[in-house]
Amino acid sequence: MTLVMRRLERLIGFVLLVGVLLSAATVLLGGVLFLWRHGSTPVHYRIFRGEPSDLRTLLGVWGDVMKGSGRGIIQVGLILLVAVQLVRVLLTGILFLLSRDKTFVVITTVVLGLLTYALFYAGR
Amino acid sequence: MSALLFLALVAAGGIGAGILGALTGEGGGILLVPVLVLLLHVNLHNAAGASIIAVTMTSTAATVAFLRQGYTNIRVAMFLQLTSIAGGIVGALLAAFVPVQALMIVFGVALLYSAYLSFRRKEEAEVDRPSDPLAIRLGMESSYPTVDGWKLYTVQRVMPGSLLMGVAGIFSGLLGIGAGAANVLVMDQVMKLPYKVSTTTSNFMVGITAAASVGIYFRHGYIDPFLTMAAVIGIFAGALVGARLLMIVRAKLLRLLFSSLVLIMALEMIYKGALSAQPGG
């Protein structure tokens, strides 16, 4: 493996580290806020009710964050974690682009396309 | 149960699932779902939603360590990811037209048999064979760290591996199960990669595969913030521990852990099959 590849792999590792820490910190912040207000309230998960509509869309989650909702902030952290996956595939593509590996640039681009499709359109 | 106690229990389950998920390259969903459903009485929908995010977390957190240690084979990962993710999308579209319950049993038996073969494989007793010419052309050959230093390895049967990954992708999309077990089995049994390369490369892949299904779970309201937060925090800690453990654990023990998880998965599939827990199902 070339030195360039090694360095780029490390760069991907670093971006993943930053992303995962940012996501975990956001999730934790939302969790602390939620527990601060509802820590002693009993929780029930035996029956599936489905999350309220505001926690099912990006705009809805953003609205909750603006109201300072702990649950909204947790969702942002989780969305961040998923976004990191898109960034990771994108960076892998750039890695192959820089090492002039056409086959893998094509493969990674298709993977990115399929991932984006599945994430935003599947099941609509 | 109060929110605080519930959080502690879910996080504890997450730590265990994270350690095993990172070690075996499966992601942790196989263990997390039964802990949530059977021990903590969480309904299957919310458990599946939390688990899909948890797998993304295991994959991301552990990949940081595995890339640094030099186990992950990114080329193999992306090549298999292509058919796996395409199969997953096709499978999800087919789910409405196919007798899913019957397929669960077929796939469960296939998984059990290949896990048995994987458990029995003795890498050190195998004769070194040259790589598949396609693997050489795609630059897949690489080396990985062992106790005796860096060791070169070959890559066998690339196209059969890729096709099988596509079939496994279709099944996982159809049945709403993770693809981690299939990743490891294809790399270990078909492509004959060293075990730790198979598990860490699978670990790289499962985060991307899981992320692809997050959208549908999110839109259907399966992802409960509090429950998922508790699982993700535990999984994060567990994955970091698991990633450090991988360097010192023997491949034989990993094979045992992996096969045990696949056994649990087969039982899970029968349970899920009886209750039909897919989105929209």
Side-chain angles (χ1 to χ4, degrees):
Chain A
M1 187 180 297
T2 64
L3 198 65
V4 183
M5 281 287 280
R6 264 264 168 267
R7 280 207 191 136
L8 286 164
E9 274 191 15
R10 283 180 180 236
L11 177 70
I12 295 179
F14 179 73
V15 172
L16 285 183
L17 180 66
V18 172
V20 88
L21 288 177
L22 217 62
S23 156
T26 311
V27 166
L28 207 58
L29 172 72
V32 169
L33 273 178
F34 179 81
L35 283 175
W36 187 269
R37 293 166 191 151
H38 312 279
S40 51
T41 323
V43 287
H44 301 284
Y45 285 105
R46 197 178 282 269
I47 299 156
F48 177 68
R49 291 183 197 89
E51 297 309 309
S53 54
D54 53 307
L55 290 172
R56 295 179 185 209
T57 62
L58 294 179
L59 274 176
V61 168
W62 187 243
D64 284 354
V65 173
M66 288 292 113
K67 282 181 241 155
S69 142
R71 283 161 62 92
I73 294 173
I74 294 174
Q75 285 313 60
V76 169
L78 302 179
I79 291 165
L80 252 173
L81 184 64
V82 177
V84 168
Q85 312 309 311
L86 283 169
V87 173
R88 147 151 82 137
V89 179
L90 190 69
L91 276 177
T92 311
I94 292 172
L95 181 152
F96 290 132
L97 196 67
L98 289 176
S99 54
R100 300 213 172 79
D101 194 331
K102 274 188 205 142
T103 316
F104 274 95
V105 171
V106 173
I107 290 173
T108 311
T109 308
V110 176
V111 169
L112 188 62
L114 291 174
L115 174 59
T116 312
Y117 164 79
L119 206 46
F120 292 101
Y121 299 104
R124 276 199 194 264
Chain B
M1 197 186 296
S2 81
L4 209 53
L5 176 63
F6 183 75
L7 168 82
L9 293 175
V10 174
I15 291 175
I19 292 176
L20 285 177
L23 275 176
T24 58
E26 173 273 315
I30 295 178
L31 201 66
L32 187 63
V33 171
V35 166
L36 292 181
V37 172
L38 300 178
L39 299 180
L40 296 168
H41 305 297
V42 175
N43 68 81
L44 269 170
H45 293 60
N46 283 138
S51 157
I52 201 98
I53 299 266
V55 169
T56 313
M57 179 53 105
T58 312
S59 167
T60 316
T63 291
V64 173
F66 294 152
L67 279 178
R68 196 178 309 148
Q69 294 159 4
Y71 286 107
T72 316
N73 189 324
I74 292 191
R75 279 164 200 271
V76 171
M78 272 302 153
F79 198 81
L80 295 181
Q81 192 85 68
L82 180 67
T83 43
S84 170
I85 201 166
I89 291 171
V90 172
L93 293 174
L94 287 176
F97 314 103
V98 172
V100 168
Q101 263 91 337
L103 280 179
M104 284 209 163
I105 295 157
V106 175
F107 194 63
V109 171
L111 268 182
L112 275 180
Y113 182 62
S114 16
Y116 169 70
L117 291 180
S118 178
F119 176 61
R120 278 189 30 187
R121 182 179 166 201
K122 289 186 174 64
E123 282 172 60
E124 57 282 0
E126 288 169 12
V127 193
D128 279 340
R129 285 196 301 162
S131 285
D132 179 344
L134 182 60
I136 297 169
R137 213 166 67 227
L138 293 171
M140 284 175 171
E141 284 182 326
S142 186
S143 56
Y144 75 111
T146 68
V147 279
D148 313 313
W150 290 85
K151 200 175 163 196
L152 291 164
Y153 58 85
T154 60
V155 184
Q156 312 295 331
R157 290 179 290 196
V158 174
M159 279 325 279
S162 169
L163 290 175
L164 209 57
M165 216 46 250
V167 174
I170 293 177
F171 270 99
S172 62
L174 266 174
L175 309 179
I177 53 173
N183 291 341
V184 175
L185 289 170
V186 165
M187 283 184 269
D188 183 56
Q189 291 295 305
V190 181
M191 302 174 78
K192 298 286 176 189
L193 295 174
Y195 204 57
K196 287 185 183 179
V197 174
S198 303
T199 60
T200 52
T201 302
S202 168
N203 181 79
F204 184 92
M205 295 169 62
V206 287
I208 298 167
T209 315
S213 6
V214 167
I216 190 164
Y217 283 86
F218 182 69
R219 284 190 289 277
H220 280 85
Y222 282 32
I223 296 174
D224 181 82
F226 182 67
L227 170 69
T228 312
M229 181 267 296
V232 157
I233 295 297
I235 272 264
F236 178 57
L240 293 182
V241 175
R244 300 282 172 301
L245 279 177
L246 184 95
M247 296 231 279
I248 49 173
V249 171
R250 290 202 185 152
K252 192 75 208 164
L253 178 62
L254 284 185
R255 286 183 187 275
L256 176 67
L257 288 175
F258 176 79
S259 309
S260 318
L261 277 184
V262 174
L263 182 71
I264 297 175
M265 183 175 177
L267 299 175
E268 249 177 63
M269 279 167 65
I270 294 162
Y271 183 75
K272 271 170 126 182
L275 281 149
S276 178
Q278 281 179 290

